[in-house]
């Protein structure tokens, strides 16, 4: 009887301090791991956007996300109210970071670029918008204008040069190409063309575009541009042709490919040739 | 009138400071005032003195960002300032969330929820875990983890820049503090409060208890949002040395017996030594 009693009381004995400590630790680590996963999943989602246009001088998006402290000093410095901080709930815009929507308010490319030097963190990098130590908004790279030729009415043959006129670096960033309108036989096409080497992505063209939804619009440069790859060489371009100088004449023999020709050409066949 | 002044003088002063700062920040964005520009993440005072959130900078460091000199200066100014006035003075004198959680707390005791559960089920150490976790996630994800979920910055940016307030987060905190856990957010979870608690261990201005005047009414412990820091009440004449004290001075003003007051750290230590 008494034996039984002690057995029961033994079972219900409170946990030893050591045991308690270990259990508490384990629970703490478990909860931390759980919240860590949820938290990082959320942060990953919240910072995934690639389509945002950043203020002039913004560093690479990856670095921008870790460097910008979300103070809004750039927003306050902009005299045109171009810049905004992303609000909660804008799920495709990383919370609190500055961006602009050119169709609403474009960047007017101030020559003194007031938004950049105020940035305390270097997320907006003065040196990336300076030439010889002087601020130079013309080398800013906020994005690149892209024309949808199917909705641009100038490509239809209707006279419009709204974007060309709006461009602060007209003649360089946008030019007009004349072409014969074979449909009417007596009119000319005056087609706007954007040049990626001069366009800053300010968006004045997008702002000015007369179509219902703009036929010219700004995209981040990495998204707007393709890449030919290093194995294509412009033989007619002296500086590009130079890349051939160090090339070897090693001959590769390969088996007959089982892949489709188009896959092969875009693949690795030419790799290592130069 | 005298009663109100005696019992609420610091509370009134705190609200004046909290709201005044919001007005100054708001004015900088809306009307171009230059007293206090930016937001709580990083500000410029009178257009010259930088002040930046050291916890945000710590996350940037963990995320692998380069810290600009300007930012480091701001961090130094903020750190020195809070070392002087008390780390968590930020929480009770500056942070806009404080007004939300204080409101929840008042309502909570009016409605009698406090009598429902005497023992708090959660540990106040959680904030330090969350602080550590935020740095780990920042390092792993390469972004400032807490800055992308911080309800403090959401609310503050919302008020200053008028961008969709982040109401949801604020409501969640209010309801959590009201129904779930007394002083839930500020006293248990907030890693920024945790950060300032750690800093506040070393800060200068402290609340001091004078045991000889104490009548053991315990009004101070009732009103204190971090009542564990007042363990010496009625026992010993020493300063409140825990960094978790917010220097809100509620205890000082509710005490009818002059058993609590502000003191400077050095003097306080001498007194206890003597
Ligand atoms: S360059 Fe001028 S218009 Fe453009 S974002 Fe900066 S301040 Fe605004
Ligand atoms: S000024 Fe710099 S740190 Fe502040 S919001 Fe703009 S980009 Fe971010
Ligand atoms: S975005 Fe448009 S207006 Fe601005 S530089 Fe480029 S082409 Fe010109
Ligand atoms: S000890 Fe006094 S000053 Fe410190 S948090 Fe508590 S009530 Fe506020």
């Amino acid at each position: 009887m008494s034996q039984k009693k002690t057995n029961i009381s033994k079972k219900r004995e409170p946990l030893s301090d050591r045991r308690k400590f270990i259990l508490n630790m384990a629970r703490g680590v478990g909860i931390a791991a759980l919240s860590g996963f949820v938290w990082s999943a959320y942060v990953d989602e919240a910072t995934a956007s690639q389509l945002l246009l950043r203020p002039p001088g913004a560093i690479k998006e990856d670095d921008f996300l870790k460097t910008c402290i979300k103070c809004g000093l750039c927003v306050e410095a902009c005299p045109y109210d171009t810049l905004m901080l992303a609000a909660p709930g804008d799920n495709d815009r990383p919370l609190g970071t500055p961006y602009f929507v050119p169709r609403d308010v474009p960047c007017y490319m101030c020559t003194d670029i007031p938004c950049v030097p105020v940035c305390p963190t270097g997320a907006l990098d003065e040196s990336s918008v300076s030439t010889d130590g002087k601020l130079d908004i013309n080398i800013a790279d906020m994005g690149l204008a892209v024309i949808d030729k199917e909705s641009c009415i100038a490509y239809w043959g209707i006279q419009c040069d709204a974007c060309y006129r709006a461009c602060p670096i007209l003649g360089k960033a946008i030019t007009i190409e004349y072409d014969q309108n074979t449909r009417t036989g007596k009119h000319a096409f005056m087609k706007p063309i954007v040049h990626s080497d001069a366009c800053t992505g300010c968006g004045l063209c997008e702002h000015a575009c007369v179509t219902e939804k703009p036929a010219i619009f700004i995209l981040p440069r990495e998204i707007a541009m393709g890449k030919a790859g290093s194995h294509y060489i412009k033989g007619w371009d002296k500086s590009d042709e130079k890349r051939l100088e160090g090339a070897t004449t090693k001959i590769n023999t390969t088996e007959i490919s089982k892949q489709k020709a188009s896959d092969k050409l875009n693949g690795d066949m030419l790799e290592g040739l130069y | 009138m005298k009663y109100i002044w005696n019992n609420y003088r610091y509370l009134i002063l705190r609200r004046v400071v909290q709201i005044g700062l919001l007005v100054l920040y708001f004015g900088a964005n809306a009307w171009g005032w230059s007293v206090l520009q930016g937001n709580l993440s990083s500000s410029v005072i009178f257009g010259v003195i930088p002040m930046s959130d050291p916890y945000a900078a710590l996350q940037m460091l963990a995320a692998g960002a380069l810290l600009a000199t300007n930012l480091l200066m701001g961090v130094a100014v903020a750190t020195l300032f809070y070392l002087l006035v008390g780390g968590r003075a930020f929480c009770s004198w500056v942070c806009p969330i404080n007004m939300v959680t204080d409101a929840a707390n008042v309502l909570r005791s009016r409605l009698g929820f406090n009598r429902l559960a005497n023992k708090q089920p959660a540990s106040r150490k959680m904030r330090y875990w969350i602080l550590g976790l935020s740095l780990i996630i920042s390092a792993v994800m390469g972004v400032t983890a807490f800055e992308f979920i911080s309800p403090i910055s959401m609310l503050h940016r919302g008020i200053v820049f008028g961008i969709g307030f982040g109401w949801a987060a604020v409501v969640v905190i209010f309801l959590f503090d009201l129904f779930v856990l007394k002083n839930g957010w500020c006293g248990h979870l907030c890693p920024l409060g945790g950060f300032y608690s750690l800093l506040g261990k070393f800060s200068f201005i402290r609340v001091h208890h004078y045991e000889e005047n104490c009548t053991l009414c315990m009004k101070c412990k009732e009103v204190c949002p971090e009542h564990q820091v007042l363990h010496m009440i009625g026992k010993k004449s020493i300063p409140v040395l825990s960094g978790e004290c917010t220097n809100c001075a509620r205890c000082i003003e509710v005490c009818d017996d002059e058993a609590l007051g502000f003191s400077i750290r050095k003097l306080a230590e001498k007194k206890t030594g003597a």
Side-chain angles (χ1 to χ4, degrees):
Chain A
M1 183 71 191
S2 74
Q3 184 79 26
K4 222 176 189 179
K5 231 181 194 169
T6 47
N7 261 350
I8 288 170
S9 67
K10 219 177 202 171
K11 254 188 201 160
R12 294 201 179 146
E13 207 177 298
L15 294 172
S16 71
D17 280 351
R18 211 177 103 95
R19 185 91 193 256
K20 242 189 208 161
F21 175 77
I22 292 173
L23 281 179
N24 265 332
M25 271 312 263
R27 197 173 70 143
V29 169
I31 293 176
L34 173 69
S35 25
F37 275 125
V38 175
W39 192 347
S40 11
Y42 174 78
V43 167
D44 195 31
E45 187 71 12
T47 54
S49 162
Q50 294 196 312
L51 285 171
L52 226 49
L53 301 177
R54 297 295 185 193
I59 56 179
K60 245 178 50 233
E61 182 70 12
D62 277 358
D63 294 327
F64 190 82
L65 283 174
K66 63 181 86 166
T67 308
C68 169
I69 200 166
K70 311 173 187 67
C71 64
L73 283 166
C74 52
V75 174
E76 283 175 9
C78 176
Y80 297 99
D81 289 341
T82 301
L83 304 175
M84 290 173 287
L85 293 183
D90 289 354
N91 273 342
D92 47 352
R93 294 178 189 139
L95 181 65
T97 55
Y99 70 102
F100 72 106
V101 178
R103 186 61 164 179
D104 299 337
V105 191
C107 165
Y108 286 89
M109 289 179 59
C110 317
T111 45
D112 56 342
I113 329 183
C115 51
V116 173
V118 294
C119 177
T121 60
L124 306 180
D125 174 14
E126 230 175 299
S127 69
S128 77
V129 281
S130 304
T131 311
D132 304 327
K134 270 211 190 121
L135 287 172
D136 177 7
I137 188 70
N138 285 348
I139 62 167
D141 174 17
M142 296 166 266
L144 176 61
V146 177
I147 298 176
D148 171 19
K149 292 178 183 151
E150 293 186 9
S151 46
C152 170
I153 56 171
Y155 280 77
W156 294 3
I158 297 174
Q159 217 258 300
C160 173
D161 56 4
C163 56
Y164 172 74
R165 297 281 158 205
C167 180
I169 18 189
L170 87 173
K172 282 201 192 116
I174 303 191
T175 54
I176 299 286
E177 190 191 69
Y178 297 91
D179 207 350
Q180 197 188 359
N181 185 339
T182 49
R183 180 173 57 82
T184 64
K186 51 189 168 189
H187 298 96
F189 284 122
M190 291 162 71
K191 302 173 180 169
I193 311 253
V194 176
H195 301 276
S196 65
D197 52 342
C199 173
T200 62
C202 71
L204 275 154
C205 51
E206 176 176 335
H207 187 64
C209 182
V210 301
T211 56
E212 188 180 311
K213 185 172 172 238
I216 184 167
F217 44 84
I218 317 303
L219 292 175
R221 195 165 280 253
E222 313 75 68
I223 291 170
M225 291 181 84
K227 190 177 172 208
S230 62
H231 50 281
Y232 288 101
I233 286 177
K234 295 173 185 159
W236 58 93
D237 178 342
K238 279 227 170 82
S239 60
D240 209 27
E241 182 79 356
K242 261 206 186 119
R243 292 201 285 133
L244 270 177
E245 267 170 16
T248 57
T249 50
K250 199 180 91 195
I251 294 168
N252 281 358
T253 43
T254 41
E255 278 180 59
I256 289 173
S257 173
K258 293 175 186 82
Q259 277 175 296
K260 273 200 244 155
S262 59
D263 287 345
K264 195 68 196 169
L265 276 174
N266 288 327
D268 60 352
M269 185 171 102
L270 297 166
E271 215 168 73
L273 249 185
Y274 305 116
Chain B
M1 194 62 211
K2 184 127 189 275
Y3 173 81
I4 292 186
W5 180 247
N6 273 342
N7 280 267
Y8 296 102
R9 56 189 193 278
Y10 284 115
L11 185 63
I12 295 167
L13 212 60
R14 272 169 49 215
R15 294 296 178 248
V16 169
V17 171
Q18 279 165 336
I19 295 170
L21 288 174
L22 288 178
V23 170
L24 288 178
Y25 276 121
F26 182 86
N29 183 46
W31 309 298
W33 297 355
S34 59
V35 185
L36 196 53
Q37 292 164 295
N39 63 27
L40 289 180
S41 302
S42 193
S43 329
V44 184
I45 305 162
F46 297 119
V48 253
I49 309 165
M51 201 154 169
S52 307
D53 175 359
Y55 174 45
L58 214 57
Q59 291 170 67
M60 291 167 66
L61 200 67
L66 291 173
L67 301 189
T69 12
N70 209 320
L71 178 78
L72 288 174
M73 266 159 51
V75 167
V77 171
T79 308
L80 287 176
F81 180 73
Y82 286 110
L83 273 179
L84 184 70
V85 300
R88 290 198 69 199
F90 171 83
C91 301
S92 62
W93 292 80
V94 178
C95 182
I97 290 284
N98 175 257
M99 290 189 266
V100 178
T101 55
D102 273 1
N105 206 13
V106 167
L107 197 60
R108 197 186 160 90
S109 62
R110 289 268 157 88
L111 293 176
F113 282 118
N114 286 342
R115 274 173 286 154
L116 214 61
N118 255 338
K119 206 166 170 276
Q120 292 280 317
S123 158
R124 288 186 182 263
K125 296 238 147 50
M126 266 189 296
R127 51 188 149 199
Y128 305 115
W129 282 80
I130 296 174
L131 172 63
L133 198 59
S134 73
L135 296 180
I136 295 175
I137 296 177
S138 297
V140 174
M141 309 283 295
V143 292
T144 48
F146 184 63
E147 300 311 299
F148 280 99
I149 61 166
S150 164
I152 308 155
S153 330
M154 271 188 234
L155 177 62
H156 195 253
R157 274 196 306 265
I159 296 170
V160 176
F161 295 93
I163 41 168
F165 267 80
W167 281 119
V170 174
V171 169
V172 167
I173 287 182
F174 181 81
L175 296 179
F176 181 71
D177 272 28
L178 179 57
F179 294 121
V180 185
L181 187 60
K182 183 172 188 294
N183 304 122
W185 172 258
C186 299
H188 292 77
L189 298 177
C190 177
L192 184 59
F195 175 83
Y196 278 121
S197 295
L198 296 177
L199 189 69
K201 277 208 178 107
F202 309 101
S203 62
F204 220 49
I205 296 184
R206 312 231 70 117
V207 170
H208 199 290
H209 179 50
Y210 305 102
E211 185 258 324
E212 59 280 8
N213 294 345
C214 178
T215 55
L216 292 177
C217 69
M218 292 298 154
K219 279 188 187 164
C220 51
K221 278 202 169 179
E222 231 158 77
V223 83
C224 178
E226 300 280 349
H227 53 83
Q228 75 281 6
V229 308
L230 289 174
H231 53 79
M232 78 296 286
I233 293 297
K235 293 184 191 131
K236 244 183 177 176
S237 289
I238 48 167
V240 171
L241 284 176
S242 165
E244 286 166 5
C245 165
T246 68
N247 274 4
C248 67
R250 285 294 285 148
C251 53
I252 298 177
E253 57 193 2
V254 298
C255 182
D256 301 323
D257 307 296
E258 286 175 19
L260 285 157
F262 274 127
S263 67
I264 304 283
R265 189 188 192 111
K266 276 264 170 63
L267 294 177
E269 274 166 0
K270 250 185 222 155
K271 256 187 202 155
T272 47

